[in-house]
Structure formats: structure tokens, C-alpha cells
Amino acid sequence: MSTLLDGPLLDKAIFLSSNNMNSKNYPFSLPLIQNLREIRFSSQVTFFVGENGSGKSTLLEAIAYKAGYGAEGGSKNINFKTSEENAYRGTEALAEQLTLSWRRKPKDGYFFRAESFYNVANYIDYLAKECSGNYQAYGGVSLHHQSHGESFLSFFANRMGRDGFFILDEPEAALSPQRQLSLLLIIEELSRYSNAQFIIATHSPILLAYPHATIYSCDSQELRKIDYKETDHYQITKRFLDDPDYYLRILFSTSERE
């Protein structure tokens, strides 16, 4: 077992202002990005939360790109693009303003991006035509030979390992609540007993409940550290489950008036 560090592998991300930044272009048009100077990582698990379009996934993508991972996800050995080049221009421009301060460089790592995981699975199949051993790190079979949720969990259970640096963008997308609990257990085992570090963008109140995690909200003009029960994800989910009939009456009556 490796000696645990005094803190996670990545200490902080520093954003430097530049005359090359155009505040009219995304993501520099976001007040969150304009006001961002530094993100400190004080725990093994860090979450970014926020509404759609708040910039949380863009932050993850910029950190991943700066750390050497492909824009569509994968390890440092998997680097491909299926979209037009300008689709990544904003992320790459943000990464250029970014400096990563490491306590120690990771031995392994992966950028898991739920939105493009299908493309990653295609690429792994392509590599496996040359060497079937490429499946070994993913459970021994093609990810396409499993259900969507099973392929996600197979990746988490087999590909993530000790001393790794893992950036996960909405990993809950294909997971049932039960499987989200399974992912929590995997994260706990890796972060407690090795130097593995996780930076995760999520909408899942189940994942956000991970103890001792740092949670950053992207919903205001500045990145803000908040507690689990302060998140909209927890509050809205709890209120709905406490009284779903009330929420549905309000929701549907509003729809009828419109």
C-alpha cells in the first residue's frame, strides 16, 4: 500500500487573466469564469454542482484538457475528436489560462464524460481489433456488449484504480439509484485506501452525500463552497419525496394556466 499524501494529488487550479480573453465568447462570457482565480482541492473527492449552463462541465473539461486528457474523454492514450474543432475552442482557451499545482503527479487517470462515453467505447473496440487485451481494463468484454448502465459500472469497477486522478462528468447519467450507491462504494474504497482523487460534476443527490467531500456551487457569479444540504439537488429532491402530490399539483396547475 502506498503512503497516503497530506491531501489529494492535485492541490489547486490557478486561473490567470489574459488580454487574449474575450468576455463576449463562451465560456469567458460567464461571470463565474470571469471572477475565477483559484480552486483549492482540500479533499480526495470534490463535486461541482449547478444548473445546466452554469459552467461546471466546462471547468471539468478545462482541468482535464490541461492535465493531458482528450476533450471527449478517455485516458492519456485515448485522444480523439468526433466533433468539429470549434466545438472545443472555448474549453481549450480556458485551459490555456489554467495552471495545475500538483502535490504529486498521478500514476494513472481518466476523464469520464458521460455525454461522449459511447464514442470512447467505439474507440476501444477499434483498438481491440489489433489487441483484444485492450478490453481487460474494462471488464474483459466490449462495453457495447453490456447495457448502458452496466457499461458505466463496468468502467468504474474495472478501469479506476489506485493512485489515479479521475475526472467524472455526470457519472450518474446511466446509473439506477442502486448502482449509484455501488459507485459511492468504489469511490470510497479508492479514496480511503490509496491516493486516488476524484473531481466530479453531478446532479445526483445520492453521489453528493459522499462524506467529507468538498462541494463547489457554480450557480452564482463566484465559485462558492457549500454544504450538502445547501444544494438545490438535496433540497428539491427531499421536498418532492416528502410530498410529491403537492409538487405535482403546483406544477400541473401552472401548466394549465399557461
Side-chain angles (χ1 to χ4, degrees):
M1 182 178 296
S2 59
T3 302
L4 293 178
L5 299 175
D6 183 19
L9 295 164
L10 181 62
D11 179 31
K12 56 187 174 182
I14 303 168
F15 292 83
L16 304 174
S17 297
S18 169
N19 294 330
N20 296 327
M21 293 169 51
N22 188 336
S23 61
K24 294 181 180 180
N25 295 336
Y26 187 88
F28 302 108
S29 58
L30 296 174
L32 173 72
I33 301 299
Q34 293 174 5
N35 296 323
L36 193 58
R37 296 295 176 267
E38 183 178 278
I39 306 175
R40 287 191 172 272
F41 299 98
S42 57
S43 52
Q44 302 294 116
V45 180
T46 300
F47 291 108
F48 290 136
V49 298
E51 264 301 334
N52 297 330
S54 63
K56 63 184 183 303
S57 291
T58 300
L59 281 179
L60 248 67
E61 290 168 6
I63 293 171
Y65 190 82
K66 191 68 176 184
Y69 302 104
E72 291 197 33
S75 68
K76 291 185 178 180
N77 296 322
I78 298 178
N79 197 332
F80 64 93
K81 293 179 180 179
T82 60
S83 299
E84 294 182 5
E85 190 67 30
N86 60 9
Y88 309 99
R89 192 165 296 157
T91 297
E92 293 172 0
L94 181 59
E96 288 176 0
Q97 312 303 321
L98 177 61
T99 298
L100 301 181
S101 176
W102 299 91
R103 290 186 176 89
R104 191 176 76 191
K105 289 294 184 71
K107 295 180 179 179
D108 187 23
Y110 212 99
F111 175 30
F112 177 91
R113 191 171 179 261
E115 184 178 353
S116 54
F117 188 62
Y118 181 90
N119 297 335
V120 172
N122 284 341
Y123 190 75
I124 294 169
D125 281 351
Y126 169 77
L127 295 177
K129 291 179 181 179
E130 300 296 327
C131 176
S132 60
N134 284 305
Y135 286 136
Q136 185 175 353
Y138 300 91
V141 297
S142 169
L143 293 169
H144 285 313
H145 292 171
Q146 306 169 64
S147 75
H148 196 33
E150 288 172 335
S151 68
F152 272 42
L153 195 64
S154 179
F155 166 83
F156 298 135
N158 294 286
R159 180 57 183 81
M160 298 195 304
R162 300 173 57 82
D163 298 327
F165 179 67
F166 302 107
I167 301 176
L168 313 180
D169 189 12
E170 299 187 6
E172 76 279 6
L175 299 181
S176 69
Q178 180 65 40
R179 295 308 190 190
Q180 290 180 45
L181 294 175
S182 298
L183 175 55
L184 279 179
L185 180 59
I186 293 169
I187 292 173
E188 164 68 1
E189 290 176 344
L190 290 175
S191 61
R192 173 175 289 201
Y193 300 111
S194 79
N195 288 317
Q197 179 178 359
F198 296 86
I199 303 176
I200 305 170
T202 184
H203 293 291
S204 168
I206 293 177
L207 296 185
L208 286 170
Y210 184 83
H212 311 303
T214 299
I215 302 176
Y216 283 114
S217 171
C218 300
D219 278 332
S220 62
Q221 294 192 354
E222 295 185 354
L223 198 68
R224 185 170 66 93
K225 188 182 294 186
I226 61 174
D227 293 329
Y228 170 57
K229 292 186 177 181
E230 286 184 81
T231 64
D232 288 342
H233 308 68
Y234 169 84
Q235 293 183 7
I236 293 173
T237 302
K238 184 178 187 305
R239 290 170 186 165
F240 183 86
L241 293 177
D242 284 345
D243 193 351
D245 291 339
Y246 170 78
Y247 265 80
L248 293 175
R249 283 197 306 271
I250 296 297
L251 180 63
F252 295 158
S253 64
T254 301
S255 176
E256 288 173 359
R257 288 197 297 271
E258 293 176 351

